[in-house]
Amino acid sequence: MAVGILLVGGMGTRLMPLTKHRPKPMLTVAGLPVTEHQLAMARKAGITTVVLATSYLSGLFTPYFGDGSRWGMKLLYAVEDSALGTAGAIANAAQLLQTEDSIVVLNGDVLSSHDLSEQIRQHESNRADVTLHLTRVEDARAYGSVSMDSSGQVSAFLEKMEQPVSNIINAGCYVFKPEVIKEIPRHRVVSVERETFPQLIDSGGKVRGFLDDSYWLDIGTPKALLQGSRDLVTGIADASALRSADIAHHDAHSLIMVRAKMDSSAIIEHGSCIGIGATIGAGAYISGSIIEDGAVIGRGAKILDSYIAFGARIDENANISAQFVTDSEILSIPA
Ligand code: GTP
């Protein structure tokens, strides 16, 4: 049975200041940390043992996820004192697994509804060294682009560039043969995107592409984080994690977590979610937004396409549009 590694150690600079006190994978989308949605996806593919490869704000994962038994999983934690890069993190985390089974690695900032079971199945039946989930995007400039021959062999793996070789991109979910991970140099910064994959391709390694165009989103920017949350609430993205969540109400327009104190005259729509214990005053209007646990929204406030973080308070009749609001800062979300 395949086992997993979740890469959750990055600094998430594009999401500052939200990531100042919480790592990106612990930010909530559709009422739950991004990581919880990813664990549900791994669980659905039969993966029950996962190492969280942590570095930046590493101490914030264990209090929430514990040993994973709440989700019927076994969770282990690898901590990098200083970030080792994506490949360095994989090599470090794999030491906790000691396995001969396939190792599935997930970037910790992706929402994907692709068929992970089939990706693992193809990897094993092809006896590949690595099988990469690939997806197509309209504009590949912000991603690593990939070319693949007709047999499914990846022939080029190139990092972000102005003129990408194709619109097929690395979707950030890899199945590895354990031997390949053992070859990654230890105790230094190594990148899978810049070193491991290009070198493996150059040396004739069997690097296969698994092209699956199901729902996929990199939630690394503020706009995408909100989009991801809306897509989970409205059912565009696979929201398996919500099945075991503490939910008071969920329909195609909104998700309300337990203990939220909602005035009955408030309107919540366009995929908004209201976190545990949040307070929503009379006549408030909330559209396309994330209201995190414990946030307070005053009477008559209007919140559009915004992220109201844990513990933030919004004044009565305030008008908030495309903003991040924390308990101490307000920042515009770039279009
Ligand atoms: P930005 O700074 O906004 O680019 O975000 P990021 O820090 O998350 O970097 P990036 O999006 O390139 O990282 C992709 C994934 O790999 C994310 O899930 C990161 O948490 C993770 N990651 C990146 N670098 C490291 C690392 O050195 N160690 C570990 N454990 N994870 C990493």
Side-chain angles (χ1 to χ4, degrees):
M1 186 58 73
V3 293
I5 294 175
L6 254 173
L7 296 176
V8 293
M11 287 190 69
T13 44
R14 288 167 295 162
L15 281 168
M16 288 288 174
L18 275 191
T19 43
K20 209 170 359 178
H21 305 296
R22 247 181 320 159
K24 173 167 56 175
M26 287 303 292
L27 296 175
T28 57
V29 286
L32 302 174
V34 175
T35 298
E36 193 168 343
H37 291 285
Q38 292 197 299
L39 289 174
M41 190 240 185
R43 183 79 180 79
K44 208 168 145 186
I47 297 170
T48 52
T49 299
V50 173
V51 181
L52 298 189
T54 68
S55 177
Y56 177 65
L57 299 175
S58 59
L60 273 83
F61 291 91
T62 324
Y64 186 89
F65 289 106
D67 64 2
S69 51
R70 184 172 163 214
W71 295 272
M73 301 180 86
K74 180 180 173 189
L75 295 184
L76 303 163
Y77 298 86
V79 183
E80 298 146 48
D81 294 335
S82 66
L84 290 170
T86 43
I90 295 167
N92 186 54
Q95 294 180 104
L96 295 179
L97 289 167
Q98 303 293 343
T99 182
E100 297 307 315
D101 293 327
S102 301
I103 299 180
V104 175
V105 176
L106 299 169
N107 270 2
D109 54 358
V110 167
L111 293 175
S112 177
S113 306
H114 80 281
D115 189 346
L116 178 55
S117 305
E118 179 59 14
Q119 184 184 353
I120 298 168
R121 195 197 64 73
Q122 288 191 14
H123 172 82
E124 291 176 352
S125 72
N126 289 322
R127 297 178 194 281
D129 290 314
V130 183
T131 302
L132 312 171
H133 172 214
L134 307 177
T135 190
R136 269 179 284 240
V137 292
E138 265 176 38
D139 182 358
R141 281 175 303 176
Y143 305 99
S145 65
V146 170
S147 2
M148 195 170 51
D149 68 21
S150 55
S151 74
Q153 171 71 19
V154 173
S155 49
F157 189 97
L158 299 148
E159 258 307 277
K160 303 174 181 107
M161 55 167 61
E162 266 311 298
Q163 290 181 317
V165 289
S166 75
N167 67 340
I168 297 178
I169 60 151
N170 163 25
C173 171
Y174 323 118
V175 189
F176 277 91
K177 198 185 257 183
E179 291 78 7
V180 174
I181 295 179
K182 288 190 187 116
E183 297 300 316
I184 296 172
R186 293 291 152 96
H187 310 301
R188 72 164 172 91
V189 178
V190 192
S191 155
V192 274
E193 298 89 350
R194 292 188 186 81
E195 293 175 61
T196 313
F197 294 150
Q199 281 169 13
L200 202 54
I201 292 164
D202 285 350
S203 63
K206 204 165 181 184
V207 180
R208 310 273 309 181
F210 175 72
L211 187 59
D212 181 329
D213 284 328
S214 307
Y215 177 89
W216 181 88
L217 188 71
D218 167 357
I219 53 86
T221 63
K223 207 173 158 211
L225 190 72
L226 283 166
Q227 183 66 50
S229 188
R230 286 194 286 266
D231 292 344
L232 288 160
V233 172
T234 57
I236 293 172
D238 180 340
S240 305
L242 294 179
R243 285 196 202 120
S244 59
D246 296 329
I247 291 172
H249 172 83
H250 184 196
D251 60 25
H253 310 285
S254 66
L255 171 70
I256 318 290
M257 305 303 280
V258 290
R259 296 193 294 283
K261 294 174 270 305
M262 309 268 307
D263 189 277
S264 58
S265 62
I267 298 173
I268 317 292
E269 61 181 18
H270 294 132
S272 296
C273 63
I274 311 295
I276 295 175
T279 302
I280 314 293
Y285 174 69
I286 298 173
S287 169
S289 297
I290 296 173
I291 312 296
E292 283 203 310
D293 296 359
V296 177
I297 311 297
R299 303 162 64 90
K302 197 172 167 192
I303 316 273
L304 304 178
D305 302 327
S306 294
Y307 194 112
I308 312 301
F310 175 78
R313 303 181 79 86
I314 304 296
D315 292 341
E316 289 185 9
N317 300 316
N319 242 316
I320 306 278
S321 179
Q323 311 269 339
F324 268 153
V325 184
T326 71
D327 57 357
S328 56
E329 279 171 287
I330 301 187
L331 207 88
S332 291
I333 294 178

